């Protein structure tokens, strides 16, 4: 039976509980959250969703035919799951195409490197770019160079990304990719190459977005072993390294992307909305399984379990599969086109958004919960902790300042965020690479994610907790 047929044939979750009015955090709601948690561990549709998504559509580069087709499929899945108010909301997008890319060492030891163009990067001239490499161990060393000091050279940054459970190593090195080409151009460089922002030692390169617009140069990421090769090269020879860069990347057409939206409408306070989701687009090297097929599947599967409950949640829960999270756009807005469109088109509704969060960190197990500032000493937090602890999820007392990349514009509009933090220790081993495929997902870890999301959302949707009112006075 296909996934769609299974969803259409699915019967309601029979818990045999009579309807009752919602209160702040009643025992019945806690009991139902525990049952949702346990049901998710036994049976949910997340793995089937991500399997079908990545198999049917493969890579889903923002603005591509594949991304658009996957959005139509996603809306069909939402309808089959019984979600309310299903919609595809389109917005314009500049389509970036990767084309071909190569980087060669011309001297002192001629050889090719394994590279990819950075997302949003421009092409080289048809004959390529040749020049002496100005090699820096750290990004700060590049920033320390005065303007004009790299005229005619190719800037190369070898800085490693530190592995960390919460991904902070990637946060520290992401400016190397995002701003590096622009900073190199300010100093006169004609090209830019960085060590991939990965935490592995395999010979494949990571793509990812860089700033686009005037004042940048063709930019590439090389595999970690190739960065190490360059280190050895400069130790073995006192001759300067000369390189040749070639790329046909660039923005090629006007296109469109879209957000896919569905919800389970609340029965008691339907205008109070909790927003969850992930991003549907992916890079074009792998099939976007961990980034972010896993996230869209986890959140939709959690909401499907809630939709199957014999009573509706008090508040509305809305799932959004955001479009165009990955590829930068021409100025003024560099990225998060779908997230910006969602927030901008709902300015008048933001006051009724209760909370927002996203699953966009692969499919590793959730290990902690962070809530908005002021929510630590509440009955709601204590109930959530009691329900999530059996899953190995601890409460992190630090305040959540965001709920994931696509929640940023909504959070900026004043909506509180929460985080179900995933173990991302090995996430950047495959993130943005050709190895981002379904085989990298552990189905049991995915089930644990769905269980945590479903249980937590049920508690939140059936409470009257007001995160805004709990915020400490400024």
């Amino acid at each position: 039976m296909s996934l769609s047929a299974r969803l259409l044939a699915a019967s309601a979750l029979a818990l045999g509980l009579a309807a009752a009015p919602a209160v702040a955090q009643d025992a019945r709601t806690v009991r139902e959250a525990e049952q949702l948690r346990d049901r998710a561990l036994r049976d949910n549709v997340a793995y089937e969703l991500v399997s079908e998504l990545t198999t049917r559509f493969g890579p889903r580069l923002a603005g591509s035919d594949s991304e658009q087709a996957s959005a139509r499929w996603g809306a069909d899945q939402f309808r089959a799951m019984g979600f309310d108010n299903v919609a595809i909301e389109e917005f314009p997008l500049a389509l970036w195409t990767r084309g071909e890319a190569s980087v060669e060492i011309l001297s002192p030891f001629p050889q090719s490197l394994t590279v990819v163009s950075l997302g949003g990067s421009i092409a080289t001239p048809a004959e390529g770019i040749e020049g002496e490499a100005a090699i820096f161990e750290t990004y700060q060393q590049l920033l320390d160079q005065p303007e004009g000091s790299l005229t005619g050279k190719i800037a190369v940054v070898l800085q490693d990304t530190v592995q960390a459970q919460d991904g902070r190593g990637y946060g520290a090195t992401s400016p190397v990719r995002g701003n590096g080409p622009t900073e190199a151009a300010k100093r006169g460089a004609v090209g830019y190459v960085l060590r991939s922002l990965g935490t592995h030692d395999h010979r494949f390169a990571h793509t990812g977005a860089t700033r686009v617009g005037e004042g940048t140069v063709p930019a590439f990421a090389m595999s970690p072993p190739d960065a190490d090769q360059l280190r050895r090269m400069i130790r073995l020879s006192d001759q300067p390294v000369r390189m040749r860069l070639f790329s046909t990347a660039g923005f090629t057409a006007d296109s469109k992307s879209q957000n896919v939206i569905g919800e389970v409408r609340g029965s008691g306070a339907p205008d109070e909305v909790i927003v969850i989701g992930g991003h549907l687009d992916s890079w074009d090297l792998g099939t976007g399984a961990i980034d972010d097929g896993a996230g869209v599947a986890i959140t939709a599967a959690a909401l499907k379990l809630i939709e199957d409950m014999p009573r509706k949640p008090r508040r509305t829960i809305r799932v959004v599969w955001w479009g165009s999270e990955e590829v930068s756009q021409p100025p003024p807005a560099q990225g998060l086109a779908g997230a910006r469109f969602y927030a901008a088109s709902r300015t008048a509704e933001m006051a009724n958004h209760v909370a927002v969060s996203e699953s966009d960190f692969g499919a590793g197990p959730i290990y902690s919960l962070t809530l908005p500032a002021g929510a630590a000493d509440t009955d709601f937090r204590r109930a959530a902790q009691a329900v999530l602890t059996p899953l190995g999820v601890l409460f992190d007392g630090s305040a959540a300042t965001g709920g994931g990349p696509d929640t940023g514009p909504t959070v900026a509009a004043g909506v509180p965020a929460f985080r179900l933090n995933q173990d991302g220790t090995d996430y950047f081993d495959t993130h943005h690479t050709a190895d981002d495929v379904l085989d990298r997902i552990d189905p049991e870890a995915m089930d644990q994610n769905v269980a945590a999301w479903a249980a937590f959302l049920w508690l939140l949707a059936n409470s009257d907790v007001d995160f805004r009112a709990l915020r400490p006075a400024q």
Side-chain angles (χ1 to χ4, degrees):
M1 182 183 292
S2 71
L3 177 59
S4 295
R6 177 183 169 184
L7 293 170
L8 287 168
S11 60
L13 180 60
L15 297 178
L17 299 170
V23 296
Q25 206 62 63
D26 62 294
R28 175 179 181 235
T29 294
V30 172
R31 186 168 69 252
E32 290 169 331
E34 292 170 339
Q35 292 170 318
L36 272 170
R37 176 197 67 199
D38 297 343
R39 169 69 184 272
L41 293 174
R42 294 193 305 271
D43 183 32
N44 70 80
V45 298
Y47 190 80
E48 292 170 77
L49 276 172
V50 69
S51 177
E52 188 166 333
L53 171 67
T54 56
T55 302
R56 282 185 180 274
F57 306 105
R60 302 172 301 282
L61 192 67
S64 67
D65 291 343
S66 178
E67 189 211 22
Q68 294 164 8
S70 70
R72 294 190 293 272
W73 170 86
D76 288 341
Q77 302 312 302
F78 284 2
R79 296 185 187 98
M81 286 189 264
F83 294 169
D84 303 315
N85 301 322
V86 175
I88 296 176
E89 298 183 351
E90 297 179 347
F91 51 89
L93 195 79
L95 178 65
W96 181 82
T97 304
R98 180 173 304 283
E100 300 179 5
S102 64
V103 173
E104 301 171 80
I105 302 297
L106 302 177
S107 65
F109 309 118
Q111 56 196 274
S112 296
L113 304 182
T114 297
V115 300
V116 294
S117 294
L118 296 186
S121 177
I122 60 176
T124 64
E127 67 276 13
I129 295 171
E130 292 188 13
E132 180 181 334
I135 300 175
F136 305 100
E137 274 293 328
T138 68
Y139 182 52
Q140 186 59 50
Q141 290 175 354
L142 168 62
L143 297 180
D144 289 342
Q145 305 306 305
E147 290 190 10
S149 61
L150 303 182
T151 299
K153 294 184 178 181
I154 296 168
V156 180
V157 177
L158 302 180
Q159 183 169 334
D160 295 2
T161 298
V162 176
Q163 193 171 57
Q165 184 183 41
D166 62 0
R168 68 180 61 195
Y170 177 78
T173 53
S174 58
V176 185
R177 187 189 70 212
N179 299 328
T182 304
E183 294 296 335
K186 287 179 182 177
R187 290 153 178 81
V190 294
Y192 183 76
V193 183
L194 78 153
R195 179 190 178 106
S196 286
L197 305 190
T199 52
H200 61 87
D201 57 1
H202 298 287
R203 201 180 186 201
F204 48 74
H206 299 234
T207 191
T210 190
R211 291 184 63 84
V212 302
E214 296 296 325
T216 188
V217 292
F220 306 78
M222 62 182 150
S223 78
D226 284 289
D228 293 336
Q229 181 83 326
L230 264 178
R231 285 189 172 116
R232 290 188 293 270
M233 195 175 294
I234 59 180
R235 288 198 297 266
L236 285 174
S237 175
D238 56 6
Q239 297 180 41
V241 174
R242 289 192 61 82
M243 307 177 80
R244 180 179 183 273
L245 317 180
F246 174 77
S247 171
T248 60
F251 289 95
T252 57
D254 292 330
S255 187
K256 64 183 179 181
S257 184
Q258 57 285 305
N259 298 326
V260 186
I261 297 174
E263 60 189 31
V264 172
R265 189 77 173 156
S267 60
D271 293 333
E272 297 182 17
V273 180
I274 301 161
V275 178
I276 61 171
H279 66 85
L280 189 56
D281 66 311
S282 77
W283 286 109
D284 51 331
L285 302 179
T287 59
I290 65 165
D291 185 23
D292 184 29
V296 299
I298 287 164
T299 50
L303 190 56
K304 170 58 179 168
L305 289 169
I306 290 171
E307 196 280 331
D308 283 343
M309 293 289 280
R311 66 161 172 147
K312 295 297 183 183
R314 176 174 173 268
R315 291 163 159 165
T316 294
I317 307 173
R318 177 178 298 156
V319 62
V320 182
W321 286 0
W322 283 282
S324 188
E325 188 267 355
E326 297 287 10
V327 179
S328 298
Q329 289 293 291
Q334 288 288 326
L336 302 176
R340 293 176 190 274
F341 180 80
Y342 176 88
S345 61
R346 288 171 172 80
T347 302
E349 302 172 28
M350 286 295 154
N352 291 331
H353 278 49
V354 172
V356 62
S357 191
E358 178 180 25
S359 177
D360 183 16
F361 203 45
I366 293 170
Y367 67 91
S368 72
L369 166 70
T370 53
L371 294 174
D377 188 20
T378 60
D379 289 340
F380 173 77
R381 189 274 301 169
R382 284 183 276 274
Q385 187 172 4
V387 172
L388 296 179
T389 294
L391 294 172
V393 179
L394 304 176
F395 176 66
D396 181 344
S398 60
T401 57
D406 287 296
T407 71
T410 300
V411 171
V415 179
F418 66 89
R419 291 297 293 265
L420 287 161
N421 299 299
Q422 294 167 287
D423 186 339
T425 304
D426 62 357
Y427 178 64
F428 295 104
D429 288 0
T430 52
H431 171 258
H432 291 182
T433 74
D435 207 32
D436 180 1
V437 293
L438 185 66
D439 307 71
R440 302 296 155 258
I441 292 177
D442 177 353
E444 289 188 5
M446 178 169 267
D447 290 345
Q448 186 257 14
N449 275 256
V450 177
W453 276 92
F456 178 83
L457 289 169
W458 188 254
L459 292 173
L460 182 57
N462 287 291
S463 76
D464 57 8
V465 64
D466 181 353
F467 290 133
R468 287 181 175 85
L470 295 172
R471 287 171 173 164
Q474 297 295 319

